[in-house]
Protein backbone atom coordinates (compact mmCIF):
# COMPACT_ATOMS: atom_id res chain seq x y z
CA UNK A 1 0.00 0.00 0.00
CA UNK A 2 3.06 2.30 -0.22
CA UNK A 3 3.91 3.97 -3.51
CA UNK A 4 7.14 3.23 -5.33
CA UNK A 5 8.31 6.84 -4.93
CA UNK A 6 8.60 6.45 -1.13
CA UNK A 7 11.89 5.10 0.24
CA UNK A 8 11.29 2.04 2.42
CA UNK A 9 13.51 0.30 4.92
CA UNK A 10 12.54 -3.21 5.95
CA UNK A 11 14.22 -4.66 9.00
CA UNK A 12 14.20 -8.44 8.88
CA UNK A 13 14.96 -9.96 12.27
CA UNK A 14 16.93 -12.84 10.75
CA UNK A 15 19.84 -13.49 8.43
CA UNK A 16 17.68 -14.60 5.49
CA UNK A 17 19.73 -13.47 2.48
CA UNK A 18 17.18 -14.85 -0.01
CA UNK A 19 14.41 -12.75 1.58
CA UNK A 20 16.60 -9.64 1.34
CA UNK A 21 17.54 -10.33 -2.28
CA UNK A 22 13.95 -11.07 -3.33
CA UNK A 23 12.57 -7.89 -1.73
CA UNK A 24 15.29 -5.59 -3.03
CA UNK A 25 14.97 -7.10 -6.52
CA UNK A 26 11.20 -6.64 -6.59
CA UNK A 27 11.04 -3.12 -5.06
CA UNK A 28 13.65 -0.60 -6.24
CA UNK A 29 12.65 1.88 -3.50
CA UNK A 30 13.32 -0.65 -0.73
CA UNK A 31 16.39 -1.40 1.35
CA UNK A 32 16.30 -4.53 3.50
CA UNK A 33 18.46 -4.71 6.60
CA UNK A 34 19.10 -8.13 8.14
CA UNK A 35 19.57 -7.91 11.89
CA UNK A 36 21.10 -11.40 12.09
CA UNK A 37 18.70 -12.61 14.77
CA UNK A 38 15.32 -11.87 16.28
CA UNK A 39 15.91 -8.66 18.21
CA UNK A 40 12.25 -8.10 19.00
CA UNK A 41 9.96 -5.37 17.76
CA UNK A 42 11.46 -2.37 19.56
CA UNK A 43 15.09 -3.15 18.84
CA UNK A 44 14.23 -4.06 15.25
CA UNK A 45 12.44 -0.74 14.80
CA UNK A 46 15.45 1.07 16.28
CA UNK A 47 17.69 -0.48 13.61
CA UNK A 48 15.46 0.94 10.87
CA UNK A 49 15.00 4.33 12.55
CA UNK A 50 18.74 4.78 12.95
CA UNK A 51 19.38 3.70 9.34
CA UNK A 52 16.94 6.32 8.00
CA UNK A 53 18.60 9.55 6.93
CA UNK A 54 15.37 11.56 7.12
CA UNK A 55 14.07 13.77 9.93
CA UNK A 56 10.87 11.73 10.17
CA UNK A 57 10.39 7.97 10.13
CA UNK A 58 7.08 6.24 9.52
CA UNK A 59 6.86 2.86 11.23
CA UNK A 60 4.43 0.48 9.61
CA UNK A 61 3.98 -3.15 10.55
CA UNK A 62 4.12 -5.56 7.60
CA UNK A 63 0.54 -6.74 8.19
CA UNK A 64 -0.88 -3.19 8.01
CA UNK A 65 -2.43 -1.70 4.89
CA UNK A 66 -2.63 2.05 4.46
CA UNK A 67 -5.62 3.89 3.09
CA UNK A 68 -4.72 5.48 -0.28
CA UNK A 69 -4.45 9.01 1.16
CA UNK A 70 -2.68 8.24 4.46
CA UNK A 71 0.82 9.34 3.49
CA UNK A 72 -0.54 12.48 1.80
CA UNK A 73 -2.45 13.37 4.99
CA UNK A 74 0.66 12.88 7.12
CA UNK A 75 2.67 15.03 4.72
CA UNK A 76 0.08 17.82 4.94
CA UNK A 77 0.45 17.80 8.72
CA UNK A 78 4.24 18.02 8.36
CA UNK A 79 3.82 21.11 6.18
CA UNK A 80 1.90 22.79 9.03
CA UNK A 81 5.01 22.53 11.24
CA UNK A 82 3.08 20.85 14.05
CA UNK A 83 5.15 20.37 17.21
CA UNK A 84 4.97 16.60 17.67
CA UNK A 85 7.06 13.68 18.77
CA UNK A 86 4.69 11.01 17.44
CA UNK A 87 1.90 11.33 14.89
CA UNK A 88 -0.39 8.47 13.93
CA UNK A 89 -3.22 7.94 11.48
CA UNK A 90 -6.24 6.52 13.28
CA UNK A 91 -8.66 3.77 12.60
CA UNK A 92 -11.89 5.32 11.29
CA UNK A 93 -14.05 3.36 13.73
CA UNK A 94 -14.23 4.94 17.21
CA UNK A 95 -14.99 1.51 18.69
CA UNK A 96 -11.61 0.10 17.63
CA UNK A 97 -9.10 2.83 18.38
CA UNK A 98 -5.35 2.39 18.07
CA UNK A 99 -4.71 5.14 20.58
CA UNK A 100 -5.35 5.96 24.22
CA UNK A 101 -6.58 9.08 25.86
CA UNK A 102 -7.35 10.08 29.41
CA UNK A 103 -10.96 10.11 30.56
CA UNK A 104 -11.14 13.90 30.26
CA UNK A 105 -9.65 13.90 26.75
CA UNK A 106 -11.79 10.88 25.80
CA UNK A 107 -15.01 12.73 26.67
CA UNK A 108 -13.91 15.73 24.58
CA UNK A 109 -12.94 13.43 21.74
CA UNK A 110 -16.15 11.38 21.76
CA UNK A 111 -18.24 14.54 21.89
CA UNK A 112 -16.42 15.79 18.81
CA UNK A 113 -15.80 12.46 17.02
CA UNK A 114 -17.74 13.30 13.88
CA UNK A 115 -16.03 16.68 13.62
CA UNK A 116 -12.62 15.08 14.15
CA UNK A 117 -13.48 12.40 11.60
CA UNK A 118 -14.65 14.89 8.98
CA UNK A 119 -12.18 17.73 9.48
CA UNK A 120 -9.08 15.66 10.28
CA UNK A 121 -7.51 18.06 12.76
CA UNK A 122 -4.61 16.67 14.73
CA UNK A 123 -5.90 15.58 18.13
CA UNK A 124 -3.67 15.10 21.21
CA UNK A 125 -3.71 11.62 22.74
CA UNK A 126 -1.76 9.86 25.49
CA UNK A 127 -0.48 6.99 23.37
CA UNK A 128 -0.77 5.30 20.00
CA UNK A 129 -0.22 1.72 18.97
CA UNK A 130 3.06 1.10 17.20
CA UNK A 131 1.79 -0.55 14.04
CA UNK A 132 1.50 2.82 12.31
CA UNK A 133 3.32 5.85 13.71
CA UNK A 134 5.39 8.73 12.41
CA UNK A 135 8.32 9.68 14.63
CA UNK A 136 9.94 13.10 14.65
CA UNK A 137 13.53 11.97 15.13
CA UNK A 138 14.63 15.40 16.34
CA UNK A 139 12.47 15.01 19.45
CA UNK A 140 14.34 11.90 20.62
CA UNK A 141 17.66 12.83 22.15
CA UNK A 142 20.58 10.41 21.87
CA UNK A 143 18.57 8.14 19.52
CA UNK A 144 16.48 7.10 22.53
CA UNK A 145 13.62 5.50 20.63
CA UNK A 146 12.20 2.14 21.71
CA UNK A 147 13.54 0.65 24.95
CA UNK A 148 15.27 -2.53 23.82
CA UNK A 149 14.65 -4.17 27.18
CA UNK A 150 11.12 -4.81 25.91
CA UNK A 151 11.32 -7.74 23.51
CA UNK A 152 7.66 -7.71 22.52
CA UNK A 153 4.58 -6.02 23.98
CA UNK A 154 4.42 -2.70 25.85
CA UNK A 155 7.32 -1.12 23.97
CA UNK A 156 4.86 1.28 22.29
CA UNK A 157 3.29 2.23 25.60
CA UNK A 158 6.72 2.80 27.13
CA UNK A 159 7.83 5.02 24.26
CA UNK A 160 4.65 7.10 24.49
CA UNK A 161 4.93 7.35 28.29
CA UNK A 162 8.48 8.66 27.98
CA UNK A 163 7.34 11.19 25.35
CA UNK A 164 4.55 12.39 27.67
CA UNK A 165 6.90 12.57 30.67
CA UNK A 166 9.22 14.86 28.70
CA UNK A 167 6.35 17.13 27.62
CA UNK A 168 6.26 15.87 24.05
CA UNK A 169 3.12 15.73 21.94
CA UNK A 170 1.42 12.67 20.49
CA UNK A 171 -1.22 13.37 17.87
CA UNK A 172 -3.66 11.35 15.81
CA UNK A 173 -5.16 12.33 12.48
CA UNK A 174 -7.95 10.81 10.47
CA UNK A 175 -6.66 9.56 7.13
Amino acid sequence: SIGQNVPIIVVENSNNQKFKHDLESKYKNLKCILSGSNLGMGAGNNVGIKAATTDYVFILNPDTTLEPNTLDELYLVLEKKLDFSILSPICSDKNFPNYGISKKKRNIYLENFEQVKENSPPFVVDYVDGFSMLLNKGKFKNDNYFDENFFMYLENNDLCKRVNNKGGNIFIIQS
Side-chain angles (χ1 to χ4, degrees):
S1 62
I2 299 174
Q4 297 208 5
N5 60 335
V6 177
I8 298 171
I9 298 172
V10 171
V11 177
E12 168 60 19
N13 272 334
S14 76
N15 198 26
N16 188 336
Q17 295 291 330
K18 181 178 179 342
F19 179 80
K20 175 181 171 63
H21 178 267
D22 290 349
L23 272 182
E24 290 180 344
S25 296
K26 186 174 180 180
Y27 302 101
K28 300 303 177 199
N29 59 322
L30 186 145
K31 175 183 176 182
C32 182
I33 299 172
L34 300 176
S35 68
S37 64
N38 189 353
L39 304 176
M41 183 199 153
N45 279 336
N46 286 344
V47 169
I49 295 167
K50 291 173 185 176
T53 58
T54 55
D55 293 333
Y56 305 97
V57 175
F58 187 56
I59 296 171
L60 187 68
N61 282 9
D63 60 349
T64 304
T65 303
L66 296 177
E67 294 293 328
N69 65 334
T70 299
L71 293 179
D72 292 336
E73 292 291 330
L74 290 170
Y75 185 73
L76 288 173
V77 172
L78 290 178
E79 286 183 331
K80 294 177 183 178
K81 305 290 185 205
L82 184 68
D83 181 24
F84 75 94
S85 299
I86 300 173
L87 176 66
S88 180
I90 64 169
C91 177
S92 61
D93 183 348
K94 69 179 177 183
N95 296 314
F96 298 99
N98 61 317
Y99 55 90
I101 52 182
S102 66
K103 186 174 181 180
K104 180 179 178 183
K105 289 180 192 173
R106 179 176 300 278
N107 290 338
I108 294 168
Y109 179 74
L110 291 176
E111 288 169 10
N112 298 295
F113 179 76
E114 290 306 318
Q115 179 184 350
V116 170
K117 188 174 169 185
E118 288 179 26
N119 299 327
S120 301
F123 191 84
V124 176
V125 295
D126 296 320
Y127 67 87
V128 293
D129 203 341
F131 66 83
S132 176
M133 61 169 43
L134 181 71
L135 298 182
N136 181 347
K137 289 174 61 175
K139 297 289 184 172
F140 295 87
K141 303 298 180 213
N142 303 320
D143 294 337
N144 191 16
Y145 306 110
F146 290 94
D147 185 334
E148 297 184 9
N149 291 309
F150 292 90
F151 181 77
M152 187 168 59
Y153 303 117
L154 300 176
E155 60 274 88
N156 308 317
N157 297 49
D158 173 71
L159 178 67
C160 293
K161 184 177 187 324
R162 287 187 286 117
V163 165
N164 284 317
N165 288 346
K166 293 183 186 227
N169 295 310
I170 301 170
F171 288 97
I172 54 172
I173 62 164
Q174 177 70 36
S175 63

